[in-house]
Amino acid sequence: MEGKEEDVRVGANKFPERQPIGTSAQSDKDYKEPPPAPLIEPGELASWSFWRAGIAEFIATFLFLYITVLTVMGVKRSPSMCASVGIQGIAWAFGGMIFALVYCTAGISGGHINPAVTFGLFLARKLSLTRAVYYIVMQCLGAICGAGVVKGFQPKQYQALGGGANTVAPGYTKGSGLGAEIIGTFVLVYTVFSATDAKRNARDSHVPILAPLPIGFAVFLVHLATIPITGTGINPARSLGAAIIFNKDNAWDDHVMGVLGWTIHRCCTCCSLPRDSHQSHPIQVQKLIELLLKQHVLF
């Protein structure tokens, strides 16, 4: 079988091709794979394209949270699912926004819009640690600002309708929610890697493929499956931004990030001191008052 060739007819168009089989197929690549990215690349910091990419990730995540949180709140405000877009509408909002935003930002930053995608690409050595950390920070900041703008527009409705925060639904255990999020995130990252694979782009070059389309459709399908369980996170920035702005115990208790989520929640509560903080965190308020008295800030 060494070095022999066979006729291959691809797809419904029956395009004739010559493709080597056996070990020669492994040695003769019909695509060019990019070299692995260095772990740390300080030279990126002096490039405007590096900073522009982070700004694109910030804007994309900001718009993503703004549209999707408003959609979730609109469904919860309705007296019944039939009177609103329902779960299908929420899934379309998330999937459609990912499709549009990845299409808009793919040429600037790669269109990650998700720390899980960024981290996966970093592990695959598709981008440096410097860029990965920068992307994740900008994605989280964009998510916080997007949810914050929604709360600024309608603060009472935001708190009353849950603020789009992810919680495990009644009747499901935290283990079930964790499993659903793990599988959903895997489906998304797997689709991203498949849609952007250099081999696929070379071998299926005669088939017009738009990478944002399968990615957005994967997000849509995962939301259909997991909205009834956790509200669907699969995006740490989306879950973190909504939880920080909503800032209630039930928004943090179900976080996969456990200790980190608990720490951020306590810090946010201590700094912002919401109206009901004396009920849920009396020790914090008492210590803060004692500290202010010692510093002669009060009275």
Side-chain angles (χ1 to χ4, degrees):
M1 298 293 290
E2 290 289 336
K4 292 184 179 180
E5 294 183 342
E6 63 179 359
D7 290 327
V8 178
R9 297 185 179 275
V10 184
N13 294 326
K14 306 297 183 183
F15 291 120
E17 293 184 0
R18 306 291 292 179
Q19 177 174 310
I21 62 175
T23 56
S24 59
Q26 301 175 5
S27 59
D28 298 334
K29 293 184 178 180
D30 56 352
Y31 65 95
K32 184 178 181 181
E33 194 166 352
L39 179 61
I40 298 177
E41 193 171 358
E44 289 183 322
L45 301 177
S47 173
W48 162 241
S49 62
F50 173 81
W51 301 105
R52 182 182 62 177
I55 295 172
E57 289 292 316
F58 174 88
I59 294 175
T61 316
F62 171 86
L63 295 175
F64 179 64
L65 263 289
Y66 177 78
I67 296 297
T68 54
V69 169
L70 280 177
T71 305
V72 173
M73 289 173 56
V75 171
K76 288 190 174 182
R77 183 186 295 129
S78 302
S80 66
M81 288 291 183
C82 296
S84 64
V85 295
I87 291 179
Q88 294 85 353
I90 295 175
W92 275 120
F94 277 87
M97 280 302 293
I98 287 296
F99 169 74
L101 294 172
V102 171
Y103 180 84
C104 293
T105 59
I108 304 174
S109 64
H112 298 187
I113 322 173
N114 188 333
V117 173
T118 301
F119 184 67
L121 292 172
F122 165 70
L123 292 180
R125 301 191 66 183
K126 302 293 184 181
L127 68 162
S128 65
L129 177 62
T130 310
R131 186 175 291 266
V133 172
Y134 177 49
Y135 277 15
I136 291 174
V137 170
M138 296 302 285
Q139 290 159 359
C140 292
L141 290 177
I144 294 170
C145 292
V149 169
V150 176
K151 184 177 181 180
F153 285 162
Q154 37 190 346
K156 293 183 179 179
Q157 295 90 333
Y158 184 89
Q159 294 298 128
L161 299 173
N166 293 116
T167 56
V168 177
Y172 293 95
T173 64
K174 293 185 179 182
S176 300
L178 177 61
E181 290 295 321
I182 290 175
I183 296 174
T185 308
F186 170 77
V187 171
L188 171 60
V189 178
Y190 179 74
T191 305
V192 170
F193 273 79
S194 298
T196 58
D197 188 12
K199 303 186 221 30
R200 177 182 297 276
N201 293 335
R203 293 171 182 171
D204 297 342
S205 57
H206 60 279
V207 180
I209 181 170
L210 190 61
L213 182 59
I215 296 173
F217 199 66
V219 172
F220 165 72
L221 293 176
V222 171
H223 275 75
L224 282 182
T226 57
I227 282 177
I229 304 175
T230 62
T232 309
I234 70 171
N235 186 331
R238 173 257 186 276
S239 299
L240 181 66
I244 286 178
I245 299 301
F246 186 57
N247 198 26
K248 297 292 182 180
D249 283 335
N250 62 337
W252 290 106
D253 292 343
D254 300 329
H255 262 243
V256 178
M257 291 183 287
V259 176
L260 177 60
W262 183 89
T263 304
I264 296 176
H265 171 50
R266 298 309 178 198
C267 292
C268 290
T269 307
C270 183
C271 294
S272 60
L273 290 178
R275 296 176 182 176
D276 57 346
S277 60
H278 64 283
Q279 299 176 0
S280 57
H281 309 287
I283 298 177
Q284 282 187 344
V285 177
Q286 183 179 356
K287 288 184 177 180
L288 182 60
I289 293 176
E290 291 175 357
L291 178 62
L292 293 175
L293 287 173
K294 290 180 179 179
Q295 298 295 329
H296 304 286
V297 175
L298 297 177
F299 308 103

